[in-house]
Amino acid sequence: MSMIRDLRAAVRPSRRRGDSPYEYDTTRAATTNSAIVDCGVYRDGRRVTKHITPAEAIADVQENGGFTWIGLHEPNEREFAGIAKEFGLHPLAVEDAVHAHQRPKLERYDDTLFTVFKTIHYVEHAELTATSEVVETGEVMCFTGRDFIVTVRHGGQGSLRALRHRLQDDPELLGKGPSAVLHAIADQVVDGYIAVADAVQDDIDEVEIDVFSSGTNGKAQGRGGSASKGDAGRIYQLKREVLEFKRAVSPLLRPMQQLSERPMRLVDSDIQKYFRDVADHLARVNEQVLNFDDLLNSILQANLAQATVAQNEDMRKITSWAAIFAVPTMIAGIYGMNFKYMPELHWKYGYPAVLMLTVAICFGIHRGFKRNGWL
């Protein structure tokens, strides 16, 4: 149990609700023309090199043992070609790593595991609108071998620098080899999903409250006007963002199950147990995302039903007033006909009597509609 707590403490920093475990890393492009973010050699759980090239790291590992961890950010084919050749990475996996836009997956090429993770970052916004971007996605791809792990990151968020430092502070964990790094990355990615799911839940709760409060307390907002359209736009935008979230979470379920259940030579048996914890958290997040989609469908249906009810109320009011105005129109139309003999045509009080009768009938119709809730 103490090892489990140590492992979780090493890869899961404490944070507040809604915070992301990722940090933005824009230093590479500003300080160097190389795609290599960091490269180090680890032996007995400790880093034995500081500033070293991949070629030097590979030579050191081959001569003295240990493993090397090379981190890259958005490499092109030329920049990645040398590393791919040195480690014998499969061309198909290399192509996926360079061009990105892959779905989460786990593939095995000879003695190398190729894992793709989708990173999710919650975009803070003062107010959710129909055009608000709620989540940003990136990718982290891992080539895991017997004595190396190569991480390729795409996107402005999802930096692994803080994770590397935390692992270096735990030699016992890092001594398990490249599979310990792979687990830490998977755990951080899934932790990011949990943080984003909590934040998206708050957005959905806000929209739900707005929709149902406008339907009960704000009749003026629900009469087919801009507020109703705005609610529908916000709900649809949230559905799009939740769909993007779902594309990151759902495909990762099977790879995590394989890493946690299927014995693999490249994954330390002690580390494999902890992949079950990651898989369990991922399954919980996946259920949340599916529930988000169902809940948003229900909210959207409720919003459309409110708009329909509001339109029906407007039509009833229009119909009621049309019925009221039909009475004087009919009477005026009758007495506007040029017949010589008409009732009360020459009566002294005929004109005011007809006006009073018209008003009385209109008042009676108005009161009836008012009593029935049409006006």
Side-chain angles (χ1 to χ4, degrees), residues 225-293:
S226 59
S228 178
K229 293 178 181 178
D231 287 339
R234 290 192 302 165
I235 297 168
Y236 185 70
Q237 178 66 9
L238 263 178
K239 282 183 63 65
R240 287 175 59 90
E241 298 298 312
V242 167
L243 178 60
E244 190 73 19
F245 197 1
K246 183 179 178 181
R247 288 172 180 167
V249 175
S250 296
L252 191 58
L253 286 171
R254 180 169 176 79
M256 286 299 100
Q257 289 175 351
Q258 291 176 333
L259 287 171
S260 63
E261 298 173 359
R262 183 181 300 177
M264 297 183 182
R265 288 183 301 166
L266 298 174
V267 179
D268 187 275
S269 58
D270 291 334
I271 295 298
Q272 188 172 34
K273 300 174 184 177
Y274 303 114
F275 275 109
R276 299 173 189 168
D277 183 58
V278 179
D280 180 65
H281 289 179
L282 182 65
R284 181 164 61 88
V285 174
N286 185 63
E287 291 178 1
Q288 276 187 280
V289 175
L290 295 178
N291 290 336
F292 288 164
D293 196 33

Side-chain angles (χ1 to χ4, degrees), residues 102-163:
Q102 304 296 316
R103 70 194 302 269
K105 61 183 177 179
L106 171 66
E107 294 177 343
R108 181 167 183 171
Y109 296 97
D110 299 327
D111 290 331
T112 303
L113 289 179
F114 177 57
T115 315
V116 178
F117 300 98
K118 283 276 191 183
T119 57
I120 298 291
H121 171 71
Y122 180 76
V123 180
E124 294 290 344
H125 44 266
E127 182 181 359
L128 182 65
T129 67
T131 58
S132 295
E133 187 176 10
V134 179
V135 296
E136 285 181 347
T137 61
E139 293 181 41
V140 175
M141 305 175 182
C142 302
F143 294 88
T144 309
R146 182 180 57 83
D147 55 3
F148 69 88
I149 180 165
V150 179
T151 57
V152 182
R153 184 168 57 86
H154 290 268
Q157 50 87 21
S159 174
L160 302 176
R161 180 174 299 174
L163 176 64

Side-chain angles (χ1 to χ4, degrees), residues 84-103:
K85 183 178 180 180
E86 288 290 345
F87 291 116
L89 305 181
H90 196 280
L92 291 177
V94 171
E95 182 180 0
D96 289 346
V98 170
H99 297 290
H101 302 296
Q102 304 296 316
R103 70 194 302 269

Side-chain angles (χ1 to χ4, degrees), residues 329-343 345-346:
T329 302
M330 180 188 67
I331 295 175
I334 292 174
Y335 277 91
M337 293 185 292
N338 295 321
F339 291 109
K340 183 177 181 180
Y341 301 103
M342 295 183 68
L345 191 60
H346 299 286

